[in-house]
Amino acid sequence: MTDHPLRNTPSLDAFWMPFTANRQFKAAPRMLVAAEGMHYTADDGRTVLDGTAGLWCVNAGHGRRGIAAAVERQLATLDFAPTFQMGHPIAFEFAERLAEIAPGGPDQRLDRVFFTNSGSESVDTALKIALAYQRAIGQGTRTRLIGRERGYHGVGFGGLSVGGIVSNRRVFPQLNGTDHLRHTHDPARNAFVKGQPEHGAELADDLERLVALHGAETIAACIVEPVAGSTGVLIPPKGYLERLRALCTKHGILLIFDEVISGFGRLGAPFATDYFGVVPDLVTSAKGLTNGTVPMGAVFASRPVHDALMNGPDGIELFHGYTYSGHPVACAAGLATLDIYREEGLLTRAADLADDWAAAMHDLRGRKNVIDIRTIGLIAGIELAPRPDAPGKRAYELFVDCFQRGLLTRVTGDIIALSPPLILERGQIGEIVEVLGAAIDQVA
């Protein structure tokens, strides 16, 4: 095996970086070269506390030897096998293990698993399954897809179309037949709330408006993030998800929860579905599925949705899939990840830390230009007042300052988002707040 160490001065020209101001980054790059546990190592040797679980995905912490060993064994045994009209045992084993912890628990039976390679692919897959389901039950006029303002559902054209972050959509055409609920962000009534806000359940009734506008017979599915992450941590008001579920059931609309971020322990339960006690028809996942080690995603489908597609003529029931669906190496990484989650109780550990986490984050209230703080599970959003002449610049400078102080955060607009690995220790909560406070005092 050939070792390829990072050169001291690598060329930065060839790599077109995703969701990055490339010219800005390449003028002053921030490089990570190693990781272990809760920390990264920067290329200058500094230790950086990971306040974002990589990109919402390294839930069990970095450098897990069990995952690496499982990947190595699988590569040596079966590096690739197709899942088009063929199979390999580890894909079925992984699906079975996921079914055991499926969103909503065994009684809800969201235990039919379709493998993808990312959250974006999971979303597009779920949308296609919803359309196929409606056709299979004789509701072929239901082709419209409903998302939500400020929602993020990846970068495929399906996810982009139901998503509602303006900057992600501005350059690209969207699919016909999509519409959006209003978002739930209401700082006038819900600022500085720990957990679910009291106000805003009535916003779910927006679905009734869209039904009246388009006709229920045209709507196939409604997709929302239980907790919206990429837009800056928007937490559902009490009763909101329950009302949305009831309205979808009333009008024959499938409800899809995008749990790419909230799945696998982020809220202190295996899935947000379990945390909120509201069960959708389809759930998308990725990120924590393999602890971020190998790209992979999965869609959990309810038995009624799955079985409706199994009642037609013999042959391919769903003309959809990916070359790497159920990739053996990704499945090996996923199985090893599930072992760690189970052995260390990580799928529920956030529940034990949530109160301390919330209290510490809300201690930042009153700092200069902090206009809101939102917390749930091991997630936090710290919202800053935008500069009148430069929206987003204040939070970006805070992100850079935190990195220089040894803390990795996530910046979105004028919001700093935090979602550390679930192995977080209480002392590290204090460390995160200390660095954030100093950075706010310096920059904000």
Side-chain angles (χ1 to χ4, degrees):
M1 183 175 65
T2 303
D3 187 23
H4 295 285
L6 182 70
R7 292 175 291 168
N8 290 332
T9 56
S11 172
L12 306 182
D13 294 338
F15 180 28
W16 191 344
M17 301 172 68
F19 280 113
T20 298
N22 278 247
R23 291 164 295 176
Q24 187 180 51
F25 176 89
K26 292 173 183 181
R30 295 170 295 277
M31 294 287 196
L32 304 171
V33 299
E36 184 74 21
M38 282 290 300
H39 294 88
Y40 282 107
T41 300
D43 62 350
D44 59 4
R46 291 182 304 110
T47 297
V48 179
L49 179 61
D50 184 1
T52 59
L55 201 57
W56 308 88
C57 53
V58 189
N59 290 3
H62 297 277
R64 287 293 193 157
R65 302 296 184 263
I67 300 175
V71 166
E72 182 180 16
R73 286 193 302 271
Q74 188 59 48
L75 281 169
T77 304
L78 180 68
D79 56 353
F80 175 80
T83 52
F84 293 9
Q85 308 291 357
M86 295 294 296
H88 57 85
I90 196 168
F92 292 93
E93 181 185 357
F94 189 31
E96 189 67 23
R97 287 280 303 279
L98 288 170
E100 292 173 1
I101 62 165
D107 292 342
Q108 300 301 328
R109 307 178 86 185
L110 267 75
D111 56 4
R112 296 298 183 255
V113 181
F114 195 105
F115 287 122
T116 71
N117 306 293
S118 68
S120 293
E121 289 185 1
S122 290
V123 166
D124 278 15
T125 295
L127 296 176
K128 291 176 76 173
I129 289 173
L131 294 170
Y133 165 81
Q134 297 289 8
R135 180 179 287 271
I137 65 169
Q139 296 288 311
T141 61
R142 291 181 180 266
T143 59
R144 191 174 300 278
L145 302 167
I146 305 299
R148 188 169 59 188
E149 295 172 353
R150 294 190 65 172
Y152 179 73
H153 301 293
V155 295
F157 276 103
L160 188 74
S161 300
V162 294
I165 297 179
V166 174
S167 56
N168 291 349
R169 295 161 49 91
R170 183 174 286 118
V171 177
F172 309 106
Q174 278 89 62
L175 299 179
N176 291 327
T178 58
D179 209 334
H180 296 78
L181 307 170
R182 287 175 293 169
H183 64 73
T184 62
H185 190 206
D186 187 355
R189 294 192 295 170
N190 293 327
F192 297 100
V193 171
K194 299 175 183 177
Q196 290 186 263
E198 294 290 338
H199 308 287
E202 72 281 357
L203 291 167
D205 294 339
D206 225 24
L207 187 59
E208 290 280 27
R209 176 181 63 83
L210 297 181
V211 166
L213 176 64
H214 301 297
E217 73 281 1
T218 72
I219 302 174
C222 176
I223 182 170
V224 296
E225 300 160 276
V227 176
S230 295
T231 195
V233 186
L234 303 186
I235 300 165
K238 292 178 180 178
Y240 174 87
L241 294 175
E242 290 86 346
R243 286 172 82 160
L244 195 58
R245 171 70 275 182
L247 290 171
C248 285
T249 301
K250 172 184 174 183
H251 293 294
I253 299 167
L254 291 186
L255 179 59
I256 305 171
F257 278 179
D258 184 343
E259 293 221 40
V260 171
I261 281 176
S262 58
F264 299 102
R266 180 53 51 190
L267 302 185
F271 294 89
T273 297
D274 308 300
Y275 181 90
F276 294 114
V278 179
V279 182
D281 302 291
L282 295 159
V283 172
T284 66
S285 68
K287 294 188 184 290
L289 182 66
T290 63
N291 201 43
T293 55
V294 179
M296 194 179 204
V299 176
F300 294 86
S302 68
R303 293 280 185 92
V305 170
H306 169 270
D307 293 350
L309 294 173
M310 299 297 141
N311 289 328
D314 286 342
I316 296 173
E317 296 91 0
L318 181 68
F319 280 84
H320 176 70
Y322 306 96
T323 298
Y324 300 118
S325 291
H327 193 288
V329 177
C331 289
L335 284 166
T337 299
L338 291 185
D339 288 342
I340 292 169
Y341 289 158
R342 180 185 59 201
E343 292 162 6
E344 300 183 15
L346 294 183
L347 295 183
T348 56
R349 188 168 189 271
D352 296 331
L353 297 171
D355 287 346
D356 291 343
W357 173 259
M361 291 298 128
H362 282 269
D363 278 346
L364 296 168
R365 182 174 184 174
R367 298 270 184 165
K368 183 171 54 175
N369 288 310
V370 173
I371 60 173
D372 193 13
I373 297 170
R374 302 179 285 275
T375 55
I376 190 169
L378 277 183
I379 306 176
I382 295 96
E383 186 160 359
L384 305 173
R387 291 177 181 156
D389 59 339
K393 189 172 182 180
R394 194 190 305 277
Y396 176 78
E397 290 179 1
L398 182 61
F399 155 74
V400 173
D401 191 78
C402 283
F403 180 75
Q404 295 303 321
R405 295 173 187 270
L407 173 66
L408 181 63
T409 64
R410 177 93 170 89
V411 62
T412 172
D414 270 299
I415 300 162
I416 293 293
L418 295 164
S419 58
L422 305 177
I423 61 171
L424 179 75
E425 298 294 339
R426 283 180 167 81
Q428 291 165 333
I429 297 175
E431 184 180 344
I432 289 171
V433 171
E434 182 179 355
V435 172
L436 267 173
I440 290 170
D441 290 344
Q442 178 67 33
V443 172

